[in-house]
């Protein structure tokens, strides 16, 4: 079996190349397909350990949700005035993480950035699984989750309809559309690769499973022409969609009258923050995955470097947003707005606020240095810091605005309970279980798009003299 | 198309195998120039110009997406108008029932949803997928490598110009790796 010699070749070609030299259509297919088709005994040990840890963490969601359904939302730390606790913080955090996946697969597709190819599948899966986590929170947060379907407009015997003027109803449409479009975008991208897996698989059940999922794809030129048109249009549709989703999420806040929420900067600053956190999560996941499965020659320093630059750019937009929030609360001359910002920076949650500034603004400035961007360990740590920072941002927005609003007699404090933490860590576990299973059971790099890159690069880039004149052709 | 001799005799077509995408495009162009029309080219990734080379020019996917998007747009707006104006008119601070600027987010989401669904369903339907069985997979090297690293051109028996011996000889002139008969 070729497994061993394929794996030994995994050398990162450095920050200039999106793929290591010497690959052919056949060998790149074997390499990616092999991650899925290799015998179960050869799965890396780290994969099993991570799966076990994530699976244990996932039980927090199970226990937390069970206890919540049994007792009611009182098991959480939510109180009046802070009726939106971790459920909304986590909802916004997870939705935001999803956005990088759509950005990579749709916007970079339209911009013809060829470095997206090795990470788009992975990032799309991340989107899908993150949105699935996000979608649970508003439902768990309902006093009576069994009645969640009342959110949808349907003819009913009560003669009631949802109020279409409410941003919370917009949210239902935005998030469900986002989940559906992410799912079909991801699946349609997978179809040609599932056909490859069907043809590569040796076990009968794998052939049947991949064959069914691959829909009988046979790579006809007419099919490809329609496929490419559909894929391009999906990219074009997903681009404004991704912007609209976090805009609608920000409307949940901005359309209210709360000091700290009622600002026009929220939509762009939420979208930038979403992409920021999403790229951080892509890094957090891609860096270990490429190591476990020896994919450094396909997910190269070039990819990590480009993601880091995008993190830096969106991070600066987020920093500008924070600056503008501070400026506007002062410039408005409104005592409630001024108090809100003062309370954030010096009130009972000031530790969270300053940690947020540290995580989201100060530490990511290290990405200006190419040394940091190209150092895998440093990048992994920075991405973890940004993940934490973006969670803190949502905590600050939700909690500090609510806990001290206009009327001092109604002020209060919010303390999360162990059930808040259990559900939060449970969704992280659930998300990781899905991701960890995904990289093992489906091709986590788009094989046909890598072949396309090889085809375009073939004559001039890959030929570094050591290979035959057309190294990309045949094997 | 009426049933041809070859339809009755279990031949789907003749297939040539190439090592190179450029060879396939070239072969497809020459086949089209030779007067064959019922043919298809198969490749493991999309190749620029291949669909045009086999005479495929009418791509209806974008029209389907446009229709889907417009349906979603009108349907979404209509739903909200109907809820707010007809089914459940609700006076909120004296504002008009049909306060249309507030309908824009949901109208937009419905537009994207229907356009995206029609892109995928339309593409699959026009490609006649899912297709559990297709004769081209009867060629062993096709089943093995068409989705990996080989490029195929198939002239179908339904073409009026098709003749097993002549067509085979024609394909052999195009310097393929191999020429095979495709059984039904």
């Amino acid at each position: 079996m070729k497994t061993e010699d394929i794996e030994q070749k995994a050398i990162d070609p450095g920050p200039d190349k999106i793929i290591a030299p010497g690959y052919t259509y056949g060998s790149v297919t074997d390499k990616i397909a092999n991650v899925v088709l290799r015998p179960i005994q050869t799965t890396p040990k780290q994969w099993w350990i991570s799966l076990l840890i994530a699976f244990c963490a996932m039980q927090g969601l199970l226990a937390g949700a069970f206890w919540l359904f049994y007792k009611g939302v009182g098991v959480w730390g939510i109180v009046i005035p802070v009726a939106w606790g971790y459920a909304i913080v986590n909802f916004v955090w997870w939705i935001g993480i999803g956005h990088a996946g759509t950005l990579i697969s749709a916007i970079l597709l339209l911009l013809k950035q060829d470095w997206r190819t090795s990470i788009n599948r992975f990032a799309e899966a991340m989107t899908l699984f993150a949105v699935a986590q996000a979608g649970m929170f508003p439902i768990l947060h309902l006093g009576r989750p069994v009645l969640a379907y009342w959110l949808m407009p349907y003819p009913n015997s009560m003669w009631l309809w949802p109020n279409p003027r409410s941003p919370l109803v917009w949210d239902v449409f935005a998030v469900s559309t986002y989940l559906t479009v992410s799912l079909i975008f991801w699946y349609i991208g997978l179809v040609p690769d599932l056909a490859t897996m069907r043809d590569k698989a040796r076990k009968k059940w794998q052939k049947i499973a991949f064959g069914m999922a691959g829909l009988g794809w046979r790579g006809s030129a007419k099919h490809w022409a329609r496929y490419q048109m559909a894929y391009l249009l999906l990219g074009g549709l997903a681009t404004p969609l991704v912007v609209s989703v976090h805009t609608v999420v920000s409307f949940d806040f901005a359309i209210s009258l709360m000091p700290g929420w009622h600002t026009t900067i929220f939509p762009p600053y939420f979208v930038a923050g979403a992409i920021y956190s999403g790229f951080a999560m892509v890094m957090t996941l891609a860096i270990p995955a490429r190591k476990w499965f020896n994919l450094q020659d396909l997910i190269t320093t070039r990819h990590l470097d480009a993601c880091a630059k995008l993190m830096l750019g969106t991070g600066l937009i987020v920093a500008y947003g924070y600056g503008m929030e501070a400026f506007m609360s002062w410039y408005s001359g409104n005592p409630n707005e001024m108090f809100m910002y003062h309370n954030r920076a010096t009130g009972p949650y000031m530790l969270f606020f300053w940690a947020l500034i540290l995580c989201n603004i100060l530490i990511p400035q290290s990405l200006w240095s190419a040394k940091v961007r190209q150092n895998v360990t440093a990048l992994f740590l920075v991405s973890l810091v940004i993940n934490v920072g973006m969670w803190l941002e949502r905590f600050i927005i939700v909690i500090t605005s609510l806990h001290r609003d206009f009327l001092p007699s109604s002020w209060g404090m919010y303390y999360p309970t162990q059930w808040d933490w259990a559900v939060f860590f449970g969704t992280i576990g659930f998300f990781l279980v899905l991701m960890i299973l995904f990289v093992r059971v489906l091709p986590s790099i788009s094989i046909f798009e890598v072949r396309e890159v090889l085809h375009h690069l073939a004559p001039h880039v890959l030929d570094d003299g050591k290979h035959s004149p057309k190294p990309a052709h045949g094997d | 198309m009426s049933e041809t001799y070859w339809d009755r005799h279990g031949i789907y077509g003749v297939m040539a195998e190439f090592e190179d995408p450029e060879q396939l495009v070239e072969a497809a162009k020459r086949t089209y120039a030779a007067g064959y029309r019922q043919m298809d080219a198969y490749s493991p990734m999309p190749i620029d110009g291949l669909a045009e080379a086999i005479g495929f020019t009418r791509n209806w996917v974008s029209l389907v997406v446009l229709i889907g998007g417009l349906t979603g747009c009108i349907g979404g707006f209509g739903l909200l108008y109907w809820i707010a104006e007809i089914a459940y008119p609700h006076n909120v601070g004296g504002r008009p029932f049909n306060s249309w600027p507030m309908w824009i987010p949901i109208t937009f989401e419905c537009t994207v949803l229907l356009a995206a669904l029609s892109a995928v369903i339309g593409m699959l339907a026009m490609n006649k997928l899912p297709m559990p069985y297709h004769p081209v997979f009867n060629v062993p090297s096709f089943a093995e490598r068409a989705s990996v690293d080989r490029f195929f051109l198939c002239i179908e028996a339904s073409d009026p110009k098709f003749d097993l011996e002549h067509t085979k000889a024609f394909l052999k002139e195009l310097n393929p790796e191999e020429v095979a008969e495709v059984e039904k």
Side-chain angles (χ1 to χ4, degrees):
Chain A
M1 182 70 202
K2 283 199 254 167
T3 313
E4 287 75 23
D5 39 287
I6 286 168
E7 284 185 1
Q8 279 164 8
K9 274 196 281 179
I11 298 163
D12 192 327
D16 306 324
K17 292 207 171 83
I18 54 169
I19 186 165
Y23 263 122
T24 64
Y25 300 139
S27 65
V28 85
T29 307
D30 284 341
K31 168 101 189 186
I32 301 169
N34 185 44
V35 172
V36 178
L37 296 176
R38 66 208 275 177
I40 197 156
Q41 302 88 328
T42 64
T43 310
K45 210 187 291 161
Q46 301 98 309
W47 184 89
W48 286 111
I49 295 168
S50 309
L51 182 64
L52 182 69
I53 295 171
F55 188 79
C56 292
M58 188 171 79
Q59 307 315 309
L61 176 63
L62 190 68
F66 175 79
W67 191 238
L68 178 83
F69 291 152
Y70 182 68
K71 294 288 277 189
V73 284
V75 302
W76 284 349
I78 49 177
V79 287
I80 300 298
V82 188
W84 281 11
Y86 269 22
I88 306 303
V89 175
N90 298 337
F91 164 72
V92 181
W93 188 68
W94 277 121
I95 279 273
I97 284 172
H99 280 41
T102 320
L103 183 102
I104 291 174
S105 42
I107 300 182
L108 298 184
L109 173 78
L110 301 183
L111 296 176
K112 296 193 192 291
Q113 295 290 311
D114 54 6
W115 62 268
R116 77 183 259 289
T117 302
S118 297
I119 51 173
N120 67 336
R121 169 79 42 77
F122 191 76
E124 283 163 29
M126 181 193 82
T127 296
L128 197 57
F129 302 148
V131 176
Q133 309 307 322
M136 276 188 279
F137 280 105
I139 294 173
L140 292 175
H141 192 248
L142 294 173
R144 289 184 235 171
V146 282
L147 300 180
Y149 63 94
W150 282 10
L151 292 163
M152 300 305 285
Y154 70 101
N156 57 73
S157 57
M158 302 172 288
W159 286 28
L160 275 174
W161 292 86
N163 178 4
R165 294 174 192 86
S166 162
L168 300 177
V169 174
W170 304 350
D171 239 8
V172 174
F173 281 85
V175 174
S176 53
T177 300
Y178 190 42
L179 185 66
T180 314
V181 173
S182 304
L183 178 68
I184 58 179
F185 200 34
W186 177 73
Y187 177 65
I188 280 305
L190 263 171
V191 165
D193 283 357
L194 292 169
T196 301
M197 302 306 291
R198 167 199 69 206
D199 297 345
K200 277 274 159 195
R202 288 291 161 266
K203 293 191 185 114
K204 187 155 192 210
W205 68 270
Q206 287 179 330
K207 272 190 172 304
I208 292 171
F210 285 124
M212 303 268 267
L215 305 176
W217 182 264
R218 54 187 192 276
S220 149
K222 296 171 196 167
H223 290 188
W224 277 123
R226 295 194 188 102
Y227 178 91
Q228 280 195 299
M229 180 56 82
Y231 200 71
L232 186 71
L233 290 172
L234 276 179
L237 290 164
T239 302
L241 177 66
V242 71
V243 174
S244 85
V245 171
H246 229 61
T247 301
V248 167
V249 169
S250 81
F251 283 165
D252 292 343
F253 301 92
I255 289 193
S256 76
L257 295 173
M258 272 292 172
W261 287 3
H262 188 58
T263 67
T264 49
I265 198 157
F266 259 31
Y269 139 66
F270 264 55
V271 173
I275 293 165
Y276 187 41
S277 64
F279 270 101
M281 189 57 96
V282 170
M283 298 284 218
T284 309
L285 299 171
I287 289 173
R290 76 177 201 138
K291 189 161 190 303
W292 295 346
F293 296 109
N294 283 300
L295 297 171
Q296 290 98 328
D297 45 359
L298 293 173
I299 303 176
T300 71
T301 315
R302 167 90 176 85
H303 296 98
L304 302 182
D305 185 67
C307 287
K309 283 179 186 160
L310 272 165
M311 281 203 304
L312 183 62
T314 47
L316 289 173
I317 301 175
V318 169
Y320 173 80
Y322 295 164
M324 264 301 136
E325 275 190 316
F327 173 77
M328 287 311 293
S329 68
W330 168 75
Y331 190 67
S332 68
N334 180 324
N336 291 305
E337 285 286 333
M338 284 155 125
F339 171 76
M340 178 280 301
Y341 213 85
H342 187 257
N343 181 46
R344 273 190 191 176
T346 62
Y349 295 108
M350 66 179 281
L351 205 62
F352 291 82
F353 178 80
W354 293 107
L356 153 71
I357 301 293
L358 180 72
C359 293
N360 268 2
I361 301 184
L362 297 179
I363 293 178
Q365 298 311 314
S366 63
L367 297 173
W368 287 100
S369 150
K371 272 198 193 124
V372 175
R373 288 201 307 271
Q374 290 163 21
N375 179 327
V376 176
T377 317
L379 214 47
F380 184 69
L381 293 176
V382 172
S383 74
L384 284 179
V385 164
I386 295 172
N387 281 322
V388 173
M390 285 308 295
W391 187 84
L392 288 169
E393 180 199 297
R394 278 63 180 256
F395 181 90
I396 289 293
I397 290 172
V398 173
I399 310 297
T400 62
S401 282
L402 284 173
H403 93 119
R404 289 184 176 173
D405 64 357
F406 303 99
L407 204 59
S409 64
S410 66
W411 288 359
M413 283 294 286
Y414 170 79
Y415 302 102
T417 65
Q418 74 264 36
W419 297 110
D420 283 294
W421 289 110
V423 171
F424 176 46
F425 284 116
T427 53
I428 294 179
F430 190 14
F431 172 76
L432 289 176
V433 164
L434 292 171
M435 273 319 281
I436 292 167
L437 289 176
F438 162 72
V439 296
R440 184 68 176 80
V441 302
L442 287 170
S444 54
I445 295 178
S446 175
I447 311 176
F448 83 89
E449 285 178 309
V450 174
R451 284 190 210 113
E452 234 184 326
V453 168
L454 279 178
H455 179 214
H456 291 302
L457 294 182
H460 43 283
V461 179
L462 284 183
D463 185 19
D464 54 1
K466 281 174 276 177
H467 303 281
S468 58
K470 282 185 174 179
H473 299 159
D475 64 348
Chain B
M1 186 150 300
S2 61
E3 203 183 29
T4 65
Y5 173 78
W6 303 106
D7 282 336
R8 290 190 296 276
H9 288 79
I11 290 283
Y12 175 77
V14 183
M15 185 180 264
E17 175 180 344
F18 299 92
E19 207 181 305
D20 228 59
E22 283 75 22
Q23 281 179 323
L24 174 63
V25 177
E26 188 52 39
K29 281 182 185 155
R30 283 179 57 186
T31 311
Y32 192 82
Y36 290 102
R37 291 294 176 269
Q38 297 298 317
M39 60 174 162
D40 209 341
Y42 300 89
S43 59
M45 74 275 191
I47 294 168
D48 294 336
L50 185 59
E52 290 78 5
I54 59 165
F56 174 83
T57 48
R58 279 182 294 175
N59 195 336
W60 295 109
V61 172
S62 40
L63 182 70
V64 171
V65 174
L66 179 69
I67 294 169
L70 287 176
T71 312
C73 183
I74 295 165
F77 193 93
L79 171 74
L80 302 182
Y81 177 84
W82 186 79
I83 290 176
E85 184 83 41
I86 298 163
Y88 198 61
H90 206 79
N91 188 334
V92 183
R95 287 172 186 81
F97 291 142
N98 184 28
S99 39
W100 66 267
M102 303 298 263
W103 304 170
I104 289 174
I106 293 181
T107 304
F108 174 80
E109 304 299 338
C110 292
T111 309
V112 170
L113 181 65
L114 279 235
L117 285 174
S118 48
V120 171
I121 295 170
M123 182 271 284
L124 290 178
M126 285 186 276
N127 284 348
K128 298 197 175 63
L129 294 174
M131 179 160 301
Y133 170 81
H134 197 275
V136 287
F137 288 101
N138 290 334
V139 177
S141 68
F142 186 96
E144 179 89 358
R145 298 180 80 172
S147 66
V148 181
D149 58 355
R150 284 302 153 106
F151 303 83
F152 295 84
L153 182 69
C154 180
I155 300 180
E156 287 154 25
S158 52
D159 193 288
K161 215 170 167 288
F162 185 87
D163 176 279
L164 190 57
E165 295 315 314
H166 281 141
T167 307
K168 246 181 163 175
F170 170 78
L171 280 178
K172 278 193 180 133
E173 286 168 26
L174 303 171
N175 295 324
E177 299 288 297
E178 208 185 305
V179 173
E181 289 174 21
V182 185
E183 284 171 24
K184 271 205 174 152

